[in-house]
Amino acid sequence: MVALTEAYIDSIALNAASIKNGKDLVRKNSFPILNRTKDDTLLFGECKGSGKEPYRCSADFMHQEQPVYRCSCPSRQFPCKHILGLLYAAAAGQTFSVAELPSDIAEKREKAEKREEKKKEAAVTGDGASPKRKVNKSALAKKLAAQLEGIELTEKLLKQLATSGLAAADARALRQYEEQAKQLGNYFVPGLQASFRELIDCLRSEKSASSGYVEAAEQLTSLHSLLKRGRDYLTARIADPEMAISTDSALEEKLGHAWQFAELREAGQVREQVELIQLSFRSYSDQARGEYVDEGYWMQLHDGQLVATRTYRPFRAAKFIKEEDSYFHIVQTKELAVYPGEWNRRARWEEMTLRETSAADWQAVRQHAVKSYPDALKTIKNVLKNPLSDKNPFMLLHAARIGQTEDGYAMEDEQGKRIALGHIEAIGQPTLSFLPFIQEGSLTDCAVLVMFEDRLDTGRLQAQPLALIAEDEAIRLLY
């Protein structure tokens, strides 16, 4: 069985309310029966509910990296508070009586094993290679044609907006554009739809006219480039039905393709036996997408590559989708799927185990920090030149010292080169305000996770620290 710690249990809970409710059940002694099997692969028990019959819940760790949770309650949240309470009771050291494996769970285990065997048999061909997924060419052709229509509609809306002028887009006009943007939902291009809504939000924002128009112009340029590349790509795929889906850039995701784990594996985008450490984390609402976004910033310990995890939770269904949170342990996964892209690529996993973070891990992180600021800035500028790249790339830099200058805070490398620090609007959190409260020793010879933004209104790169990595810990500045 995996090491049951509160951190591990918190990581599988849907949200903070689920954590509180699960712990409350333990505090109220709501589990009259707590059992475990002799081999500790199954925890099971009964929890008092609102009705006559107690809820029967269990946590099956037959496969530690992919435990199975079961409960007889009708809750649509999963794992429910009863399962979480069962796990919290185990983590708190409560007594679990040794009992025989329940017959119904034994049957479910047997059926699960048979399903896995069939999957393995079906997944391997005679030469040992995994076969490609079957594609319905007729359905694909219809989808590609619809996406191309979506691009034409988006371009038509952009031309209308540009012709009338950004300054002429008053509240009434923006409402009309927003209504027209809803039509894009019929063309399998949710990425384009979100980008166009983001443009509308830029024009509707309460920023000063100059900064608002500058941001809108940047979004307009980025969207125009996406339309051009998207049209060329879709036209080529329609002409060649055998053409593989693009993995050279984030184009497919920008158009709105939701990559499946199996697709990424088939495309060779899966890395095996990876350990990751989270350097920072934030949650925010994306009004253009209509979703909450939980975003983690991670480093692969073996090579120092930085990746990002993103969980999207639609506003209407947020309470039924797991809310991600900060990780303070090392994540170990057999398979890490990395999305197509060029920098700070998005990553995900399906199975994981956790281990404690050590001083050696933080030392490994520090060793991967970039020491030359001119080289770092050159790299970031090249990234930002690509309209399909993330607008806010991040990088781990080594700082000989961080301190105040006449213009505010700055970080300095070993050659005396400086990067001025400021606030990035996309983050929306004043992380610099925490620096005066950090011990001076942690502001020298440290690694700094920095996010960048290209400020078109000033023509300069803006940099904001997200975390400081000292010798044996990370000081996270986001909350």
Side-chain angles (χ1 to χ4, degrees):
M1 186 172 67
V2 298
L4 282 180
T5 62
E6 283 204 5
Y8 172 81
I9 304 168
D10 292 349
S11 73
I12 67 170
L14 285 182
N15 47 50
S18 297
I19 293 174
K20 178 183 181 301
N21 293 336
K23 291 180 177 178
D24 283 346
L25 291 176
V26 179
R27 181 175 55 82
K28 296 175 182 178
N29 295 318
S30 298
F31 291 89
I33 296 177
L34 291 171
N35 290 328
R36 64 178 178 85
T37 54
K38 189 175 181 180
D39 60 4
D40 283 330
T41 60
L42 181 74
L43 300 177
F44 59 106
E46 295 183 357
C47 181
K48 297 175 184 176
S50 55
K52 284 184 180 181
E53 293 295 320
Y55 296 125
R56 294 174 177 81
C57 50
S58 64
D60 193 340
F61 295 96
M62 191 67 180
H63 301 286
Q64 295 189 19
E65 293 185 344
Q66 199 169 21
V68 177
Y69 306 112
R70 304 179 179 95
C71 187
S72 61
C73 78
S75 175
R76 292 174 62 189
Q77 294 190 344
F78 201 82
C80 64
K81 64 181 181 180
H82 311 107
I83 293 170
L84 295 175
L86 178 76
L87 297 175
Y88 282 125
Q94 291 198 14
T95 302
F96 279 64
S97 302
V98 176
E100 293 295 323
L101 179 70
S103 59
D104 61 327
I105 293 182
E107 291 177 5
K108 289 175 181 177
R109 280 185 175 182
E110 186 178 352
K111 290 180 180 179
E113 289 296 330
K114 289 181 178 179
R115 285 196 299 270
E116 285 301 314
E117 288 177 6
K118 288 183 179 179
K119 285 182 181 179
K120 290 178 181 178
E121 291 175 0
V124 179
T125 60
D127 59 359
S130 296
K132 291 186 177 181
R133 296 178 308 112
K134 292 182 179 180
V135 177
N136 186 323
K137 293 183 179 180
S138 175
L140 177 61
K142 290 180 181 178
K143 179 182 177 181
L144 294 174
Q147 287 180 309
L148 200 54
E149 288 183 41
I151 284 180
E152 300 299 334
L153 175 58
T154 306
E155 188 170 52
K156 179 180 177 181
L157 294 176
L158 284 186
K159 285 182 178 178
Q160 290 177 358
L161 184 58
T163 301
S164 59
L166 299 181
D170 56 15
R172 180 181 178 183
L174 292 177
R175 282 197 300 271
Q176 291 178 342
Y177 282 121
E178 193 165 34
E179 286 299 316
Q180 290 174 309
K182 291 180 180 179
Q183 299 176 32
L184 293 173
N186 301 322
Y187 296 95
F188 307 103
V189 285
L192 281 181
Q193 185 181 44
S195 294
F196 188 75
R197 283 176 172 167
E198 188 176 342
L199 173 59
I200 295 173
D201 288 344
C202 287
L203 296 171
R204 184 183 285 134
S205 69
E206 297 178 356
K207 304 170 188 174
S208 66
S210 59
S211 63
Y213 292 145
V214 168
E215 188 175 337
E218 180 184 12
Q219 180 66 14
L220 189 66
T221 302
S222 177
L223 191 50
H224 176 73
S225 178
L226 176 58
L227 290 174
K228 183 178 183 303
R229 294 193 184 193
R231 179 188 291 105
D232 293 343
Y233 169 66
L234 293 175
T235 301
R237 288 198 71 191
I238 291 174
D240 181 7
E242 299 297 328
M243 179 179 173
I245 190 169
S246 174
T247 57
D248 296 332
S249 69
L251 179 59
E252 276 283 358
E253 190 175 4
K254 290 288 185 180
L255 291 175
H257 180 66
W259 285 94
Q260 301 299 313
F261 203 99
E263 283 183 295
L264 293 169
R265 184 187 291 113
E266 181 183 311
Q269 303 297 307
V270 170
R271 303 166 185 173
E272 297 182 350
Q273 303 299 337
V274 179
E275 286 193 327
L276 302 107
I277 186 168
Q278 191 181 82
L279 304 181
S280 193
F281 175 86
R282 69 173 179 142
S283 290
Y284 60 95
S285 60
D286 187 330
Q287 297 298 324
R289 293 179 62 102
E291 296 174 321
Y292 296 108
V293 185
D294 302 324
E295 189 168 71
Y297 309 99
W298 302 75
M299 175 179 281
Q300 295 178 168
L301 284 176
H302 72 286
D303 63 2
Q305 186 170 347
L306 298 175
V307 295
T309 54
R310 295 186 188 93
T311 299
Y312 297 101
R313 294 178 289 122
F315 292 155
R316 294 182 178 180
K319 68 179 182 179
F320 302 116
I321 301 174
K322 184 180 181 302
E323 177 183 351
E324 292 296 334
D325 202 351
S326 299
Y327 280 78
F328 296 95
H329 290 68
I330 302 297
V331 166
Q332 300 172 304
T333 179
K334 290 182 178 179
E335 289 187 315
L336 179 73
V338 183
Y339 287 56
E342 296 182 358
W343 189 261
N344 301 149
R345 295 168 66 179
R346 183 182 170 192
R348 59 184 281 202
W349 55 82
E350 292 189 334
E351 302 176 6
M352 70 167 185
T353 55
L354 300 175
R355 70 166 175 83
E356 293 289 338
T357 307
S358 68
D361 294 320
W362 293 121
Q363 185 60 34
V365 170
R366 288 163 54 87
Q367 289 176 352
H368 289 298
V370 178
K371 293 187 176 182
S372 170
Y373 289 180
D375 290 346
L377 293 177
K378 182 179 179 181
T379 298
I380 292 298
K381 287 178 181 178
N382 286 334
V383 170
L384 290 170
K385 286 180 182 178
N386 184 350
L388 295 183
S389 294
D390 196 319
K391 295 178 182 178
N392 299 109
F394 53 93
M395 180 183 282
L396 188 71
L397 301 175
H398 176 265
R401 62 192 62 83
I402 299 174
Q404 284 188 300
T405 66
E406 294 180 357
D407 300 322
Y409 276 97
M411 50 192 291
E412 187 173 284
D413 67 9
E414 294 175 346
Q415 304 302 317
K417 302 296 184 181
R418 291 181 176 178
I419 292 180
L421 300 176
H423 297 298
I424 292 176
E425 191 168 334
I427 295 179
Q429 295 186 30
T431 60
L432 293 178
S433 62
F434 294 115
L435 296 184
F437 303 100
I438 296 176
Q439 294 182 356
E440 187 174 346
S442 297
L443 297 176
T444 59
D445 187 27
C446 61
V448 188
L449 183 67
V450 178
M451 180 175 283
F452 292 90
E453 183 176 71
D454 188 10
R455 295 293 299 272
L456 294 183
D457 53 345
T458 63
R460 298 175 59 187
L461 275 179
Q462 187 77 290
Q464 182 171 346
L466 308 184
L468 306 177
I469 291 83
E471 289 187 0
D472 58 357
E473 65 174 345
I475 303 172
R476 301 190 182 195
L477 303 177
L478 292 178
Y479 55 89

